[in-house]
Amino acid sequence: MTTSRNRELAKLLARIADMYEFLGGDTNRFRALAYRKAAQVIENLPEDIASYIEKHDLQKVHGIGQKTIEKIREFLKTGTIKKYEELRKQVPEALIPLMDVPGLGPKTLRQLYEAFHIQTEDDLIHILKSGKVYQLKGFGPKKVQKILHGLELRATLTQRMLYWEALTLARTLLQTLQDRIGTLIQKSAYAGSLRRGKETIGDIDLLISASPQHHTTIIQAFTQLPDVKEVLAAGETKASVLVGDNRRQVDLRLIQPHQWGAALMYFTGSKNHNVRLRELARAHGWKLNEYGLFDEASNKRLAGTTEEEVFAQLNMQWIPPEMREDQGEIELALNHQIPKLVSIQDIRGDMQSHSTWSDGSLSILEMADYVLKHFPHYEYLVLTDHSQAVRIAGGLSPEQFRQQKEEIQKVNAELGRDFVKAGAEVDILPNGQLDLPNELLKELDFVIASIHSHFQRDNTDRIIQACLNPYVHAIGHPTGRLLGTREPYPLNMEQIIEVCAQTGTALEINGQPDRMDLNDQYARWAREAGVPLILSTDAHYSSNFHYMEIAVVIARRAWCTPQHILNTRPWQEITLWKQEKASKTQTYKTKRHF
Ligand code: DGT
Ligand code: CA
Ligand code: CA
Ligand code: ZN
């Protein structure tokens, strides 16, 4: 089952709505509403739109108009909607992507466009900063500040990609090359910040090892890949291109097979890590570069075919790429103390996911089916729908959680195993209290508490109060940041980690591509303080379950072994851990007279 097409279509329909709204007028406003509604319906369909539209009457079941349905069929046939191409020509091109910036909807942009004829982002920033904008209705310093801040945050992501965007792009490109000229390729890999698992990626660095006689053909195949928009450079052993609508830069370097290991190390970086390695080599009278490890005096080649070989020659253990940041890993490798980092194989289940009961797109059975098919080694899936305070996400009342538990039991009976666990993502209210009573929390298999409101204020106390509840097992997306759109709320993370350690509360590493929350640095602090971590995807769509890779990469950058991650344990052990957590919390509260 795929919903990526649904999302693409939903985005396109929402864009059409944006265009109509920007153009303005009563008829257009009405059209915008219709398209926006269709976008919402399609985003939440339980199955691919192509098969869904054949089985169901979209007009009768969802109230989508005939005209819109025609557009959907057009998309399914052609991959685009002509009307959209028509409409976007009537809107200054540079303004279209700005419609996603918080505080800058299509209506606000139109207002600015009509008053000041802005055509570009620079025009907009100029007007906002000049003060002229205050003549307009509804524009005060607060709103202007918000927009400017949103534009700044956006800029960070137009210059760099999210980890997941880069990873999927790199894999697609390598796979296409493999399909087209696979027989010429000996080895291929992505290197650079992507291989190290950084949260944002400047450009993608691809390496291919192949016999020199094939280099020209490979470079040609690379520059002719389907999504290449511009070739920046193409030489004999390297090329740079811009790919896709976002024009992401991808560099390719061709490596001779015997130099593969040295090149992979060199182009993986980080720069600081490489500097340290070269120093170590020099101390032996050797030199290390992208071609190999050589004796300085005789120029004799000592190693270079594989990374392992180079590290071994330097008397070191192989270092996982996620650790190559010169933060102490070199010393560990010299002492043969590199930890065995957690991998996706160690994960026994997903700890946060949403079904159609709240804002997810799949039923509980569909979720379980998908997960069992794609992650056959998982032993459990924790369902954590929202609680009632989170209205826009269709949060559940205590009564609904109890009804949901019955459905979970039915699904588990059908699966013949206790696979789905009844959890909740309980909202931490503004006053720090929880949105569900303890009587219910007690009955649940796992409770994650998260903040979904009041992002401006310092939320340390709210989170600490949640930790003090014996039935709260973990804090979800602890900092609340959204890469590219929202800063973390003010938080004293040291204090939170301390309280988590004392009360036995776990912290989540949320694998959503724009959350990655906790980040690597905080996760490292948490690990060092003995705070258990849970890895989760926060899945709302079937494809989201694959975000576990993201959570794992953050944990690896934090040097976590399976032991540091709660969901590497069988469920029975988690049950025992929950009791431990409850009693630890009680002890802490007694000691502190809470
Ligand atoms: P990014 O692309 O900004 O996210 O970060 P990286 O780490 O991928 O950096 P990038 O693409 O400039 O280079 C990839 C790797 O290649 C980098 O981590 C280390 C290596 N490298 C590239 N250029 C140099 C250089 O001039 N000197 C050294 N020592 N290493 C380099
Ligand atoms: Ca790079
Ligand atoms: Ca590069
Ligand atoms: Zn949440």
Side-chain angles (χ1 to χ4, degrees):
M1 192 188 313
T2 164
T3 54
S4 70
R5 175 155 50 186
N6 294 13
R7 244 174 307 144
E8 198 185 326
L9 173 58
K11 201 171 156 197
L12 191 55
L13 294 172
R15 269 285 180 255
I16 295 180
D18 287 342
M19 297 300 123
Y20 276 127
E21 216 173 296
F22 181 90
L23 295 170
D26 281 346
T27 328
N28 284 343
R29 196 170 326 135
F30 185 70
R31 288 176 176 139
L33 277 175
Y35 276 99
R36 217 172 286 291
K37 178 174 178 208
Q40 223 167 37
V41 168
I42 285 163
E43 181 144 349
N44 286 299
L45 282 186
E47 63 177 273
D48 190 86
I49 175 69
S51 57
Y52 191 89
I53 200 169
E54 297 315 321
K55 289 186 272 180
H56 303 270
D57 187 334
L58 285 181
Q59 184 161 26
K60 273 213 189 103
V61 184
H62 300 285
I64 296 179
Q66 264 322 312
K67 273 213 176 120
T68 315
I69 294 176
E70 274 167 39
K71 299 284 187 286
I72 294 173
R73 290 196 183 277
E74 182 190 345
F75 171 83
L76 290 174
K77 237 186 257 156
T78 66
T80 178
I81 298 175
K82 264 207 222 105
K83 190 84 212 171
Y84 172 68
E85 304 302 330
E86 229 176 273
L87 286 168
R88 63 178 287 172
K89 285 198 193 105
Q90 302 173 47
V91 179
E93 195 172 355
L95 300 187
I96 297 174
L98 301 184
M99 294 182 183
D100 295 332
V101 173
L104 256 196
K107 253 187 274 167
T108 308
L109 270 170
R110 177 172 54 117
Q111 209 185 349
L112 290 161
Y113 174 70
E114 280 176 351
F116 305 109
H117 312 290
I118 51 168
Q119 295 282 345
T120 66
E121 187 170 344
D122 284 345
D123 293 349
L124 171 65
I125 291 173
H126 175 74
I127 288 296
L128 289 172
K129 288 190 172 164
S130 71
K132 282 190 211 155
V133 73
Y134 297 124
Q135 306 158 8
L136 289 185
K137 211 175 115 199
F139 278 84
K142 230 175 148 179
K143 178 171 171 125
V144 169
Q145 244 2 75
K146 182 176 175 181
I147 297 174
L148 283 171
H149 187 63
L151 288 170
E152 266 170 43
L153 277 171
R154 192 184 100 87
T156 61
L157 274 199
T158 49
Q159 286 150 18
R160 300 181 65 84
M161 299 164 252
L162 289 176
Y163 173 72
W164 189 249
E165 181 190 351
L167 184 67
T168 46
L169 181 55
R171 281 181 176 160
T172 308
L173 297 176
L174 287 176
Q175 187 57 51
T176 312
L177 285 173
Q178 192 62 42
D179 294 343
R180 293 187 173 183
I181 48 159
T183 51
L184 311 183
I185 296 176
Q186 271 213 4
K187 276 184 183 163
S188 64
Y190 50 81
S193 52
L194 177 58
R195 184 161 179 249
R196 301 199 311 279
K198 299 256 302 178
E199 64 194 25
T200 64
I201 309 298
D203 64 11
I204 295 175
D205 302 284
L206 301 180
L207 303 184
I208 287 180
S209 100
S211 141
Q213 71 195 66
H214 300 313
H215 283 189
T216 323
T217 321
I218 298 173
I219 292 281
Q220 247 173 28
F222 175 68
T223 55
Q224 288 165 8
L225 281 169
D227 252 358
V228 168
K229 302 284 176 193
E230 194 179 328
V231 178
L232 299 176
E236 281 170 20
T237 58
K238 60 182 185 190
S240 280
V241 297
L242 300 181
V243 180
D245 287 341
N246 294 335
R247 300 171 70 82
R248 299 307 193 183
Q249 183 169 336
V250 184
D251 298 343
L252 172 70
R253 288 183 184 79
L254 297 182
I255 314 296
Q256 297 194 35
H258 68 283
Q259 297 168 345
W260 175 254
L264 187 55
M265 277 172 77
Y266 182 89
F267 292 110
T268 296
S270 66
K271 228 174 171 164
N272 291 342
H273 171 92
N274 285 353
V275 166
R276 293 286 314 278
L277 289 186
R278 281 201 296 271
E279 280 169 10
L280 284 174
R282 214 172 301 127
H284 287 282
W286 303 333
K287 67 169 189 254
L288 176 64
N289 57 32
E290 67 253 61
Y291 306 109
L293 181 61
F294 303 90
D295 184 79
E296 186 89 64
S298 67
N299 234 2
K300 185 174 165 260
R301 206 180 105 96
L302 304 170
T305 313
T306 64
E307 285 192 342
E308 287 80 357
E309 189 187 280
V310 177
F311 278 115
Q313 182 70 35
L314 292 167
N315 279 322
M316 296 169 91
Q317 264 176 307
W318 179 81
I319 301 178
E322 296 91 341
M323 294 179 76
R324 300 184 194 172
E325 298 288 356
D326 188 24
Q327 309 224 342
E329 76 281 4
I330 306 245
E331 289 69 20
L332 288 184
L334 285 167
N335 292 322
H336 289 257
Q337 288 173 336
I338 291 284
K340 200 174 169 329
L341 301 185
V342 64
S343 81
I344 195 143
Q345 258 10 77
D346 300 313
I347 302 300
R348 292 189 199 236
D350 203 323
M351 298 302 274
Q352 177 169 187
S353 62
H354 299 264
S355 74
T356 46
W357 282 77
S358 66
D359 58 347
S361 66
L362 302 181
S363 72
I364 301 173
L365 182 60
E366 286 169 329
M367 291 168 72
D369 277 343
Y370 185 89
V371 170
L372 280 166
K373 185 167 163 216
H374 290 85
F375 303 85
H377 71 285
Y378 277 11
E379 296 167 13
Y380 44 85
L381 165 65
V382 183
L383 182 65
T384 55
D385 275 314
H386 289 283
S387 63
Q388 53 208 357
V390 193
R391 283 252 169 67
I392 47 162
L396 311 188
S397 67
E399 184 47 34
Q400 287 169 312
F401 274 108
R402 293 198 172 96
Q403 287 164 6
Q404 186 183 53
K405 217 169 166 183
E406 284 169 28
E407 184 175 322
I408 291 174
Q409 278 159 4
K410 270 190 215 137
V411 168
N412 284 338
E414 200 159 322
L415 297 171
R417 56 197 280 200
D418 252 353
F419 187 67
V420 182
K421 305 295 176 191
E425 185 186 12
V426 57
D427 190 59
I428 305 173
L429 300 171
N431 63 8
Q433 307 217 319
L434 296 177
D435 189 29
L436 293 169
N438 278 351
E439 296 75 65
L440 176 75
L441 297 183
K442 246 188 258 189
E443 293 169 22
L444 294 172
D445 293 321
F446 203 82
V447 176
I448 296 176
S450 323
I451 285 178
H452 298 104
S453 64
H454 297 262
F455 300 120
Q456 278 78 34
R457 56 184 247 207
D458 187 308
N459 282 311
T460 309
D461 282 341
R462 269 168 105 185
I463 291 184
I464 287 177
Q465 281 201 58
C467 294
L468 292 175
N469 186 309
Y471 309 111
V472 164
H473 303 117
I475 302 297
H477 44 73
T479 78
R481 68 129 173 224
L482 292 176
L483 284 159
T485 43
R486 194 166 75 210
E487 301 269 34
Y489 30 73
L491 216 54
N492 183 339
M493 193 49 91
E494 263 180 84
Q495 202 185 343
I496 287 172
I497 287 175
E498 169 67 15
V499 173
C500 282
Q502 297 281 339
T503 58
T505 314
L507 287 170
E508 179 186 54
I509 298 181
N510 186 304
Q512 289 277 320
D514 61 347
R515 285 198 185 272
M516 301 181 81
D517 183 9
L518 297 176
N519 68 15
D520 48 8
Q521 190 56 47
Y522 285 153
R524 183 172 172 157
W525 287 5
R527 171 183 60 74
E528 286 168 350
V531 172
L533 295 158
I534 60 168
L535 305 193
S536 74
T537 66
D538 198 356
H540 287 71
Y541 303 92
S542 55
S543 54
N544 289 179
F545 287 110
H546 299 277
Y547 296 158
M548 188 56 81
E549 270 192 85
I550 301 178
V552 167
V553 111
I554 299 169
R556 289 172 65 86
R557 285 184 61 81
W559 297 12
C560 290
T561 68
Q563 203 190 328
H564 300 118
I565 311 295
L566 198 59
N567 48 322
T568 60
R569 305 186 195 176
W571 193 260
Q572 239 183 345
E573 283 181 33
I574 293 186
T575 309
L576 296 175
W577 173 87
K578 277 162 39 186
Q579 290 166 11
E580 220 177 279
K581 142 79 195 179
S583 70
K584 250 187 162 173
T585 302
Q586 289 299 3
T587 313
Y588 179 74
K589 283 167 77 170
T590 316
K591 208 168 63 188
R592 296 294 169 107
H593 308 292
F594 279 115

